[in-house]
Amino acid sequence: MLTSGPRGTHDITPSEMKNWRRVEKAARDICDLYHYGEIRTPIFEHTELFLRGIGETTDVVQKEMYTFTDRGGRSVTLRPENTAAVVRSYLEQKLYADSQATKLFYIGPMFRYDRPQAGRLRQFHQFGIEAIGPAGPSVDAEIIVLAVRFFESLGLKDLNLMINSVGCPKCRPQYRVVLQEFLQDKKEELCENCQSRFDRNPMRILDCKEEKCNRLSTGAPQMIDCLCEECTEHLAGLRQYLEAAGLTYTLNPRLVRGLDYYTKTAFEIQYPLLGAQSAVCGGGRYDGLIEECGGPSTPGIGFAIGLERVLLAMEKQELLDPFDDVVPVWVIPIGSMSVLPAFSLLNRLRELGIPSDMDHAGRSLKSQMKQANRTQARYVAIIGEDEARTNQVTLKNMSTGEQLLMSADEAINQLKQEMNG
Ligand SMILES: [Zn+2]
Ligand SMILES: [Zn+2]
């Protein structure tokens, strides 16, 4: 117990962090480019927020939340996703006050009590966008373009973009009736999950992963054939903007979102090489959510990208950088007399912005040189007892093998020139 983490968690060690930082930097860079501001909300919220903001009937809320009572007797939940929390913050911090559009992004851990499998952990990480305020399809296209360009900036290829419209509270109720009528006499044959969806959420039957449900719903009427005028125009607009941006996509009528506050645009980006877990980005419009969370009626749209899956995709395409632990300068004290002058020299180097290190364990010259070689040092500054007494340094160029005795000041000047050049 003490030496293994909880099931479904993963330690990201320094050798992996290099690629995590690259992915997170790519996310921050593209959000700067598209004028989205970073927001960092707490990792736990009042449980009520997720009951309202995700929906009490969803699998996430019913089976997957990390909910506990804190010492004050309040029910809190580790966030299973971040849209509800961002909306809560948007309302609480009045982020709408000085702008027509509030464009936000986040990067951070999410928590779901789920069956762990490849690319799916109980603590996982998401990069997400929320654009709150604008109602028109150009912002839908903007965040889809942003997501696609994010993946491309990491070198990922052969992504599939799929879009759909899930309608709105005006046109969806009629569609539900038509869909239920189609499925009525097949109801008993559906999987257990879909039988319970039949009344509360029949659209989700369309994207059930069970083969038999897929077969039974083949030929079912489609939402896109039942859209109201406003939703039809919105979808046509989105398609125009995506085409203007040069994106290729498929219209997938089976791409659905379960809850009432989801409206119009739904989209997903898949990386097919990941197999069953190929969705790397899912998003959609949620024009009813902010009202559901207690705010004024305000449109919004967002997406979330699972970063573990992005890294798996990069691994498949051999895009991950190998770990290299590089330290350009090592300061090497020999004997206890030399440690203090070595420490002072090291401090001066670091103050000049020269990445450098020294051994703190009193190891032999040989093992310190080995360490310097392993980290691709360009120079080592050796301080033996003689050098310590005379405030000098033996500076060794590791590629030529040349070594020179000089004053500490001279060594610093030379390293400064070499490292900046
Ligand atoms: Zn509609
Ligand atoms: Zn099913």
Side-chain angles (χ1 to χ4, degrees):
M1 286 276 277
L2 292 180
T3 53
S4 59
R7 187 153 182 250
T9 63
H10 174 69
D11 300 314
I12 306 171
T13 56
S15 61
E16 289 175 73
M17 269 315 294
K18 185 175 185 191
N19 287 297
W20 276 85
R21 284 167 67 162
R22 193 172 128 208
V23 169
E24 289 174 10
K25 182 177 184 302
R28 292 194 169 93
D29 285 351
I30 200 153
C31 286
D32 284 348
L33 191 65
Y34 283 64
H35 186 218
Y36 283 75
E38 185 163 5
I39 186 165
R40 212 171 278 192
T41 56
I43 61 167
F44 64 95
E45 298 276 350
H46 295 302
T47 300
E48 182 64 20
L49 177 69
F50 298 121
L51 299 184
R52 294 294 290 276
I54 301 176
E56 303 201 33
T57 61
T58 55
D59 285 355
V60 171
V61 165
Q62 290 191 338
K63 300 177 197 162
E64 297 172 1
M65 293 213 302
Y66 274 95
T67 298
F68 59 98
T69 306
D70 72 9
R71 289 170 188 274
R74 286 165 293 254
S75 179
V76 294
T77 295
L78 300 182
R79 60 185 187 191
E81 53 104 79
N82 214 27
T83 302
V86 170
V87 164
R88 192 268 307 142
S89 177
Y90 168 84
L91 294 170
E92 184 174 351
Q93 309 303 331
K94 300 186 172 52
L95 299 178
Y96 45 82
D98 50 19
S99 175
Q100 287 300 301
T102 304
K103 307 207 301 182
L104 302 165
F105 79 97
Y106 60 84
I107 298 173
M110 309 293 154
F111 305 85
R112 287 188 198 181
Y113 191 82
D114 202 353
R115 198 160 51 85
Q117 49 189 297
R120 181 177 279 191
L121 291 165
R122 289 180 175 172
Q123 174 172 338
F124 58 101
H125 297 78
Q126 287 185 335
F127 155 43
I129 286 270
E130 313 294 347
I132 306 173
S138 62
V139 74
D140 304 28
E142 177 177 280
I143 73 163
I144 293 172
V145 175
L146 188 159
V148 170
R149 300 295 182 234
F150 165 72
F151 292 119
E152 289 173 351
S153 77
L154 294 168
L156 291 171
K157 289 196 173 75
D158 303 322
L159 297 153
N160 288 340
L161 167 62
M162 295 182 307
I163 65 164
N164 191 25
S165 175
V166 296
C168 72
K170 264 182 286 173
C171 51
R172 198 162 42 214
Q174 279 158 284
Y175 171 68
R176 280 173 66 125
V177 174
V178 177
L179 182 61
Q180 279 167 331
E181 277 167 8
F182 176 87
L183 292 167
Q184 186 65 54
D185 55 345
K186 306 173 179 70
K187 191 179 167 186
E188 304 306 316
E189 293 170 71
L190 293 167
C191 76
E192 208 180 312
N193 221 339
C194 285
Q195 290 194 23
S196 76
R197 284 165 172 163
F198 186 86
D199 289 312
R200 61 179 160 92
N201 204 351
M203 285 173 78
R204 288 301 307 275
I205 297 171
L206 298 177
D207 76 344
C208 180
K209 302 289 176 270
E210 297 267 341
E211 171 64 37
K212 61 176 174 182
C213 300
N214 220 293
R215 184 167 35 82
L216 291 166
S217 63
T218 301
Q222 297 179 346
M223 184 71 238
I224 45 170
D225 296 323
C226 305
L227 296 176
C228 67
E229 203 182 320
E230 191 187 321
C231 290
T232 305
E233 275 175 25
H234 192 95
L235 179 60
L238 172 63
R239 298 181 71 162
Q240 270 184 337
Y241 288 115
L242 291 179
E243 277 148 29
L247 295 194
T248 47
Y249 61 86
T250 39
L251 189 63
N252 179 355
R254 284 180 174 266
L255 187 65
V256 299
R257 291 284 178 272
L259 299 161
D260 285 345
Y261 55 71
Y262 285 112
T263 51
K264 297 172 182 161
T265 305
F267 66 97
E268 190 170 295
I269 298 172
Q270 293 185 342
Y271 185 76
L273 285 180
L274 291 181
Q277 303 288 322
S278 66
V280 287
C281 172
R285 184 162 273 288
Y286 46 77
D287 290 350
L289 176 63
I290 291 150
E291 216 172 348
E292 184 71 29
C293 291
S297 172
T298 312
I301 183 165
F303 69 64
I305 290 175
L307 296 184
E308 277 80 3
R309 288 193 200 172
V310 171
L311 283 146
L312 272 178
M314 289 170 72
E315 194 183 352
K316 292 262 183 220
Q317 232 181 278
E318 295 179 0
L319 294 168
L320 296 181
D321 289 328
F323 179 54
D324 47 354
D325 180 17
V326 176
V327 183
V329 179
W330 279 87
V331 178
I332 296 184
I334 309 167
S336 56
M337 288 273 295
S338 308
V339 176
L340 189 57
F343 186 73
S344 301
L345 178 66
L346 184 63
N347 281 334
R348 291 177 66 188
L349 291 171
R350 288 169 171 172
E351 274 154 28
L352 290 166
I354 297 172
S356 45
D357 203 358
M358 72 180 253
D359 166 58
H360 292 279
R363 289 197 176 87
S364 69
L365 172 63
K366 194 177 156 198
S367 81
Q368 292 190 65
M369 288 301 287
K370 213 187 255 178
Q371 170 83 323
N373 272 316
R374 195 169 58 230
T375 56
Q376 302 167 50
R378 290 165 60 192
Y379 284 91
V380 296
I382 302 164
I383 304 180
E385 278 180 27
D386 289 345
E387 285 97 338
R389 217 174 299 116
T390 55
N391 197 25
Q392 284 180 306
V393 165
T394 297
L395 191 65
K396 179 173 182 179
N397 180 324
M398 296 294 276
S399 52
T400 64
E402 183 191 15
Q403 58 180 57
L404 282 169
L405 183 67
M406 61 183 77
S407 72
D409 286 343
E410 281 173 317
I412 283 170
N413 278 333
Q414 189 178 332
L415 289 171
K416 200 165 96 180
Q417 278 171 11
E418 295 281 336
M419 295 301 146
N420 296 334

